[in-house]
Amino acid sequence: MLLIPCPHCGPRDETEFKYGGQAGIAYPKDPDALTDAEWVEYLFLRDNPKGAFRERWVHTAGCRRWFDITRDTFTNAFENGR
Amino acid sequence: MSPVSPELPQHPDRLWRHPDPKPSYDVVIIGGGGHGLAAAYYLAKNHGITNVAVVERGWLAGGNMARNTAIIRSNYLWDESAAIYEHALKLWEGLAEELDYDLLFSQRGVMNLAHNLGDVREGTRRVYANRLNGVDAEWLTPDDVKRLCPIVDISPDVRYPVLGATYQPRGGIAKHDHVAWGYARAADNLGVDLIEGAEVTAIDIEAGRVTGIQTSRGPISAGKVAIVAAGHASIIAAMAGIRLPLQSHPLQALVSELLEPIHPTVVMSNAVHVYVSQAHKGELVLGAGIDSYNGFGQRGAFHIIEHQMAAALELFPIFARAHVLRTWGGIVDVSPDASPIISKTPVDGLYLDCGWGTGGFKATPASGWVLAHTVANDEPHELNRPYALERFTTGALIDEHGAAAVAH
């Protein structure tokens, strides 16, 4: 089980969190102007690296806040240690 | 002490050669799992293309082909899915004979339990949809469930009572390793080179057309290249500048110690969320859902295992004294609509067969069949035309999330 360093509560068990996928995906500024290909980019295409990945978690059973963190998807190590 | 027997067992014959890569092939398949091996076999068998290499980073069939729960069924809701999975099931039914290899293919039936009104409605709808598509399907009452699988608890006073089930009698299990070895031997016999221990590091492209690959065992030029790399499909496709709508997740499974034969069929449950069969050797084989986060570590968290086992106990109280022998994880490439991508790409001569997510094993023969057709003809087979990469742009998704009789 991952020990996730919540920036507000400190390290907590993975079972207290929900996963939010890749971080930094902004809602389109002008959705009406998007082409189909741009919608694909927003809706379906996400990075899927083997290695460092900037991702979102929400501490549902704790402070209930969202945060971004970098984790290595192969080793599961978080950027600021455990 | 008795003396050592002079008749010690000898190493069995090798099932395939271990050639060094040739400088050039007509077709190179990246990924020596079940799908890649099947594709190589059908390229040779159906299309006469035998100057083919399967390039595998590790050893043959050591990825998800060695890590799945070996369940075979075709009871999918949508027409496109029923067509390709039923094609697979029909191929399964003659495969041991065709490959001349015992696959321990056992059509012991697959049951999908319903535990609430939503399940019942979804299940009955799927039974009718399956029948319209020529897929065998029945609706079972709780008593039918008990008759077919006496160890399922159908008491009405449990937390998630069994209200019925869909049943596909032609579904079942096979011995996954044997499937890979059978395809590997047959492909090798037809002249395909199976190259293990060769990690792909680059895909060579000139003027929009693939020309070969770079590997840890040297460069290999190729007229056509197919990416059949499951959890690593995104990584390989990125070498050709292609972004795939895939996310790789850990998917775990487990087995118990060997037990007497007690479980005669395959039982799956969405609501309680576990699927269970008993392998020929006697171990109970259990699986469930993915770990939530992206991961390439081929391992997952124990609380996921705990959930599966709790679910199994809910359905099968008799398992309370069974022990977990082994748990493991694979890396599954999950697509937005839980359906695979079997497709041409923007690069000429480069093809994809990926995105099978949590359910690729059952499709192995059909996946190889249609990929071979796509590569040989540079045109998709009718069965995989709907599974093109473009569907995410056109919106013609094949949404099997939930509709496929299993939660993903």
Side-chain angles (χ1 to χ4, degrees):
Chain A
M1 186 183 302
L2 303 181
L3 190 62
I4 300 174
C6 173
H8 312 292
C9 310
R12 298 292 184 90
D13 280 347
E14 177 191 336
T15 45
E16 295 186 11
F17 298 81
K18 292 271 187 261
Y19 189 58
Q22 184 178 354
I25 306 291
Y27 188 77
K29 282 203 174 64
D30 185 5
D32 292 339
L34 257 52
T35 64
D36 287 353
E38 288 165 334
W39 273 116
V40 174
E41 185 75 26
Y42 173 68
L43 289 173
F44 297 132
L45 291 181
R46 295 290 179 272
D47 293 344
N48 189 27
K50 184 177 187 175
F53 187 45
R54 192 74 181 161
E55 64 190 9
R56 309 183 75 210
W57 291 88
V58 57
H59 195 183
T60 44
C63 61
R64 300 174 62 188
R65 282 194 271 185
W66 285 93
F67 58 93
D68 296 355
I69 196 164
T70 303
R71 180 179 55 93
D72 185 305
T73 60
F74 183 63
T75 65
N76 284 334
F78 288 95
E79 60 176 352
N80 297 321
R82 296 176 69 93
Chain B
M1 267 183 69
S2 57
V4 175
S5 160
E7 300 275 330
L8 283 174
Q10 299 299 300
H11 196 287
D13 290 341
R14 301 276 176 186
L15 294 176
W16 56 87
R17 300 164 294 127
H18 288 271
D20 289 325
K22 292 194 287 187
S24 171
Y25 291 94
D26 293 340
V27 178
V28 167
I29 293 170
I30 301 173
H35 292 214
L37 293 168
Y41 169 71
Y42 291 119
L43 270 172
K45 161 98 183 326
N46 292 358
H47 304 283
I49 300 172
T50 56
N51 187 23
V52 175
V54 177
V55 176
E56 166 57 46
R57 180 173 67 111
W59 56 90
L60 287 193
N64 294 346
M65 194 61 177
R67 298 159 194 270
N68 61 77
T69 49
I71 296 172
I72 295 166
R73 60 189 179 87
S74 63
N75 59 347
Y76 280 67
L77 177 67
W78 302 116
D79 294 350
E80 298 87 345
S81 314
I84 195 165
Y85 289 106
E86 178 60 18
H87 183 63
L89 184 47
K90 290 203 167 80
L91 290 172
W92 279 114
E93 286 171 332
L95 197 58
E97 211 168 316
E98 171 161 2
L99 300 178
D100 189 25
Y101 203 88
D102 186 5
L103 308 177
L104 299 179
F105 175 55
S106 161
Q107 292 180 290
R108 57 184 62 189
V110 172
M111 201 184 276
N112 294 92
L113 300 179
H115 299 277
N116 52 54
L117 188 58
D119 281 356
V120 171
R121 287 174 174 161
E122 184 278 329
T124 45
R125 177 192 181 195
R126 191 159 40 76
V127 164
Y128 291 128
N130 287 165
R131 286 184 185 167
L132 288 171
N133 278 319
V135 174
D136 59 320
E138 299 169 19
W139 179 255
L140 303 181
T141 65
D143 287 337
D144 297 331
V145 169
K146 192 77 181 170
R147 181 173 49 76
L148 279 163
C149 190
I151 56 173
V152 175
D153 183 4
I154 60 162
S155 347
D157 58 348
V158 294
R159 187 169 174 196
Y160 301 105
V162 173
L163 301 182
T166 68
Y167 187 58
Q168 184 178 24
R170 286 164 62 243
I173 57 173
K175 180 78 181 158
H176 49 91
D177 291 332
H178 288 208
V179 177
W181 299 340
Y183 271 123
R185 185 180 67 163
D188 178 84
N189 281 342
L190 292 170
V192 172
D193 281 359
L194 307 177
I195 298 163
E196 299 172 79
E199 180 168 4
V200 174
T201 54
I203 294 179
D204 302 327
I205 297 167
E206 279 171 31
R209 178 164 189 91
V210 74
T211 57
I213 59 171
Q214 302 290 323
T215 80
S216 56
R217 294 182 65 178
I220 302 174
S221 61
K224 294 174 176 179
V225 173
I227 300 173
V228 198
H232 283 76
S234 315
I235 313 282
I236 306 285
M239 295 174 186
I242 297 170
R243 288 191 82 196
L244 293 179
L246 298 176
Q247 297 281 282
S248 296
H249 288 268
L251 176 64
Q252 301 186 76
L254 65 97
V255 290
S256 73
E257 76 273 53
L258 308 187
L259 301 169
E260 293 295 313
I262 44 157
H263 184 13
T265 180
V266 181
V267 172
M268 311 178 68
S269 167
N270 254 357
V272 183
H273 209 184
V274 70
Y275 32 94
V276 187
S277 67
Q278 186 172 20
H280 294 80
K281 230 169 22 178
E283 67 267 44
L284 298 169
V285 184
L286 278 73
I290 56 173
D291 282 51
S292 67
Y293 51 83
N294 291 29
F296 283 85
Q298 289 188 319
R299 64 191 188 281
F302 196 74
H303 68 271
I304 305 288
I305 296 290
E306 192 180 355
H307 277 296
Q308 292 183 26
M309 295 181 60
L313 274 186
E314 172 79 14
L315 299 175
F316 304 97
I318 194 177
F319 293 170
R321 303 288 291 274
H323 299 99
V324 173
L325 185 69
R326 193 169 74 250
T327 77
W328 66 88
I331 315 168
V332 297
D333 46 337
V334 178
S335 70
D337 57 358
S339 288
I341 300 165
I342 318 162
S343 179
K344 296 172 69 171
T345 69
V347 178
D348 286 342
L350 184 67
Y351 307 88
L352 293 168
D353 186 353
C354 56
W356 288 96
T358 61
F361 174 74
K362 67 176 83 67
T364 302
S367 170
W369 184 283
V370 299
L371 177 63
H373 180 103
T374 306
V375 171
N377 299 292
D378 196 34
E379 270 301 312
H381 188 282
E382 282 314 307
L383 289 173
N384 68 307
R385 197 175 291 281
Y387 293 95
L389 195 52
E390 290 77 33
R391 75 175 184 273
F392 300 99
T393 312
T394 63
L397 302 183
I398 305 163
D399 186 7
E400 289 290 354
H401 272 295
V406 63
H408 294 274

